[in-house]
Amino acid sequence: MLLEVLQGTEAGGFILLQDTVSYSGRHLLKSYISTALKREEEVVHVLGFEACEKEFRDGLDRTNAQRLHFHNAYSDPLGWTGNSAFTVHQFTLEDVSTLIKQTPQAKAVTLVIDSLSWILRHHDPAAVCQRLQALKKGGAVRTVIVLVHTDMHQRGTVGSIRHLATSVVTVAPGTRGLGAVAKTTRRTKSGKLMQDEETFSINEDLSVTIHSKLSHPGHTHVNTDETEVDPTANLTFNLRLSDTERQAKEKLALPFVFSKEKKSALLQPGPGSGRILYEPDANDDYDQEDPDDDLDI
Amino acid sequence: MFAELNSILNSSPESFKQGEFILVSDRQTDASFLIHHFLSFYLRAGCKVCFLGLVQSFSHYSAVSQRLGVSLNQAREKGQLVFLEGLKESLGVLLQGDTSNGTPALDFLRDPSSGLRGLYDFVHGNIRGSEGRAEDWGPPVLMVDDLSVVLSLGVSVGAVLDFSHYCRATFCSELQGTMVILVRCEAEEEEEESDEGSERLQRGLTHQCSLTLQVQGLPTGYCRDIHGEVEVCWRGRCDGLQIQRKLFQYKVCDKGTLFFARGTSSAVL
C-alpha cells in the first residue's frame, strides 16, 4: 500500500508522513518527489525549512529538476538576516497561493512541506489546520505532502492534523537493522479505512523496494505465541529410565532399610561382647503377673 | 584531542568532513571531555572557532586545553578564537542593568521571551567580521557549552531550536563550517510528557544534526575503570543509508580518554 500512496494512484489528497528521531522520513519524502517528477504534467513546489536546497536536490533526477520549485525557507525562516525568500509567517493561504501561481501553466501541482514541525512551532495548530484544509479545498493544489516529526509535538496536535489527512504514513526503523517499517493508513473516498504495515528500503535512485508485508501484525504475534510448548523438551536432566538403569536402581540398597542380613548381624552378639546377668536378690519381690508392681504410680 | 576518538570518527585535523553539525549530549554523567576534545581539535586544524562558554570560566577551558597541548590565550590573541564568557558577561548584564555596556548577545537574560536573536547576531557578526580580513583561518566552527543552560534561564525550547537552526544555516550550509553543541538531559523519565524541557530540546536538535555523540553513565552505577558509554550515531543525509550506530565505553584519563568496545576494558580482560 505504501507504493500505491507513493505513486499517487488515487489522484489528489493530503499525505502525512510521520517520523521520529530514530528514523528520518525525509528520504521517503524525496522518493515521493522523484516519482512525482517522473509524471509528465506534475509540478512540485517545496517549502523547505529543514534542509538547504543543495541537500534537498541531491539525489533527485536532474532531467526533471526544472519542474521542482524549491522555496528557500531554510536560510532565513524568521527574517533575522533580511534576505529571506520565504518566512514562516508567510504561511498563509494568500502567500502560498501566489507562490504556486508562479507556474500557471501547470496542470497538477504538488505542494511539499518540509517540515510542518517548523510551522507548528510558530503558528497556532488550529490555524495551521485551517490553512491546510483551505489549500486542499482551494483547487490550486492537487496533492499536499507534509512531513511531521511527531516526537516534537503534543499528541493532540499531531492527532488533529491526522484527521485532515487522506493517507498517513508512519516510518520507524526496522527490527533487524535492515530497512524500515512503514505503517500506512489510507482513507478512500467512500470513507473506508485501509491499514497496512510493510518493511521497505530506499535505493540509491530513490526508488522504494517493499520487502515484506505484515498486514495484521497483532494477530500473527498472538498465533506464534499460542503454539503448544513442551516443558520437558530442553531439560538438563533425564526424566526416563532405560532397563539397565532400572535394574541398577533396584539393586541398590538404601541405607536405612533393614534387610535380613543387617538384622541378624545386629542381633547375634559377637564373641567377647558384654552380657547382662540378673540374679534376683532376696528382697526383690518379682511378680511374674505384674512386673511393674514396684512402681509407685 | 584524543587520537582514538579521531579514528572512530574517521577524521583528523588535516582532513575532516565539512558542514557537519555534531550534537553531544549527556545523561547522568559529564560529557565535557568531548567539548575539550573538539575545541583542541578544531584549533589545531586551524579553524576559526567561536566558542560560547556558558557554564565555565575561560581559565577553566584554558587550563584543560593546556593539558591537551593547545593554548587558548595564544589562539585568542591571534584572533583564531572568539570566546564568549557567559558567566562574566551575564553578571554585567544583570547587575548594571542598562543596555549600553555589555554585549547584546545576552539580552535574553533580561527578557527571555525575546529569544536568542541577540546571541545569533553576536556569533554571526564575529564570523562575518572576520571574513573581510585576511583569510588565514580555515572553515568557521561554532561550539556551545552547554545550550540547555538557557532553558533554565527562561528561554523556550522553540527559541533555542530557532537559534540552532540559524546557526546551522550559517555555519554548516553557507560557510561549510562545523557546529558542536553540548546539551544536558535531565535524568527524570517522567518529564517526557511535558512539552518544555531538555528532552524535547535534545530531540529537536537530533532532527537537525548529522552526527550525535550520546554519553551515558553505566546503567550499573559508578565504576573506577569504565566511566560510561558513548553512542556514536551517524545520521545519513544524502546517501540512502540511514542511521549507523556504534557503542563504546570510555575512561577519562589524565591527558586523554580511552575508548574501547563494550566489555573489553583492561579491567575486565
Side-chain angles (χ1 to χ4, degrees), chain A residues 19-27 30 49-52 54-55 58-59 73-82 118 121-122 149-155 173 202-204 206, chain B residues 115-117 120-121 124 157-159 161-163 165-166 168-170 172-174 176 193-195 200-208 235-243 245:
Chain A
D19 73 351
T20 59
V21 279
S22 50
Y23 190 87
S24 166
R26 189 159 296 121
H27 293 282
K30 277 167 87 170
F49 287 94
E50 290 198 352
C52 63
K54 183 174 162 290
E55 191 185 319
D58 210 32
Y74 171 74
S75 40
D76 191 14
L78 297 171
W80 285 5
T81 52
W118 235 101
R121 211 159 74 213
H122 291 274
H149 308 306
T150 41
D151 50 357
M152 292 306 297
H153 307 286
Q154 285 173 327
R155 219 171 290 160
I202 299 168
N203 308 325
E204 288 281 313
L206 291 174
Chain B
L116 297 175
R117 188 173 172 180
Y120 171 71
D121 287 340
H124 190 236
V157 173
L161 290 175
D162 288 344
F163 169 74
H165 176 93
Y166 264 90
R168 178 175 158 229
T170 309
C172 301
S173 303
E174 197 183 329
Q176 285 299 304
E193 284 301 307
S194 72
D195 60 338
R200 189 159 162 256
L201 174 65
Q202 194 225 354
R203 280 200 299 271
L205 291 174
T206 310
H207 278 294
Q208 296 179 359
R235 302 177 64 80
R237 303 187 84 176
C238 308
D239 45 352
L241 268 176
Q242 271 266 342
I243 297 171
R245 291 169 200 279

Side-chain angles (χ1 to χ4, degrees), chain B:
Chain B
M1 192 176 73
F2 316 137
E4 282 183 49
L5 187 58
N6 283 345
S7 66
I8 290 171
L9 300 180
N10 201 11
S11 64
S12 69
E14 288 78 38
S15 73
F16 54 91
K17 207 176 150 205
Q18 294 189 350
E20 276 221 281
F21 176 3
I22 303 173
L23 177 71
V24 181
S25 62
D26 64 15
R27 192 187 297 268
Q28 291 175 315
T29 188
D30 185 18
S32 46
F33 66 99
L34 290 174
I35 283 293
H36 296 301
H37 159 79
F38 284 117
L39 181 57
S40 57
F41 178 91
Y42 289 115
L43 285 178
R44 263 196 212 174
C47 297
K48 164 114 187 167
V49 179
C50 181
F51 194 99
L52 307 181
L54 303 177
V55 289
Q56 296 281 4
S57 64
F58 177 75
S59 50
H60 169 85
Y61 295 106
S62 175
V64 178
S65 298
Q66 202 79 53
R67 293 212 140 198
L68 298 175
V70 174
S71 166
L72 292 196
N73 277 315
Q74 272 179 22
R76 208 180 186 182
E77 278 159 25
K78 281 189 286 182
Q80 188 187 4
L81 174 69
V82 177
F83 194 95
L84 177 77
E85 197 167 349
L87 295 179
K88 215 185 235 173
E89 300 278 339
S90 62
L91 211 59
V93 174
L94 290 174
L95 290 184
Q96 276 136 35
D98 63 320
T99 38
S100 54
N101 50 15
T103 50
L106 298 173
D107 270 351
F108 66 88
L109 285 173
R110 228 175 280 122
D111 178 18
S113 59
S114 66
L116 297 175
R117 188 173 172 180
L119 197 59
Y120 171 71
D121 287 340
F122 169 80
V123 170
H124 190 236
N126 269 299
I127 290 305
R128 274 288 140 82
S130 69
E131 264 189 339
R133 278 180 258 138
E135 281 277 315
D136 43 5
W137 303 119
V141 176
L142 173 71
M143 297 184 69
V144 187
D145 181 24
D146 79 73
L147 197 56
S148 48
V149 89
V150 299
L151 291 182
S152 41
L153 295 170
V155 181
S156 69
V157 173
V160 183
L161 290 175
D162 288 344
F163 169 74
S164 68
H165 176 93
Y166 264 90
C167 291
R168 178 175 158 229
T170 309
F171 279 85
C172 301
S173 303
E174 197 183 329
L175 303 170
Q176 285 299 304
T178 311
M179 242 166 96
V180 183
I181 287 185
L182 173 71
V183 287
R184 294 236 137 101
C185 296
E186 274 146 39
E188 274 80 48
E189 288 291 319
E190 67 261 26
E191 194 210 27
E192 222 155 280
E193 284 301 307
S194 72
D195 60 338
E196 294 288 296
S198 53
E199 288 281 345
R200 189 159 162 256
L201 174 65
Q202 194 225 354
R203 280 200 299 271
L205 291 174
T206 310
H207 278 294
Q208 296 179 359
C209 72
S210 57
L211 169 67
T212 60
L213 295 162
Q214 235 170 323
V215 184
Q216 275 197 29
L218 285 181
T220 47
Y222 173 77
C223 171
R224 195 161 44 103
D225 292 298
I226 305 164
H227 290 160
E229 291 180 336
V230 194
E231 191 181 38
V232 186
C233 197
W234 288 268
R235 302 177 64 80
R237 303 187 84 176
C238 308
D239 45 352
L241 268 176
Q242 271 266 342
I243 297 171
Q244 201 191 346
R245 291 169 200 279
K246 273 184 189 170
L247 193 66
F248 297 95
Q249 290 178 329
Y250 70 90
K251 182 189 179 185
V252 182
C253 306
D254 218 13
K255 279 195 174 176
T257 304
L258 299 174
F259 290 89
F260 35 83
R262 262 218 279 206
T264 61
S265 152
S266 57
V268 178
L269 297 178

Side-chain angles (χ1 to χ4, degrees), chain A residues 78 93 115 272 281:
Chain A
L78 297 171
L93 186 59
S115 73
D281 208 50

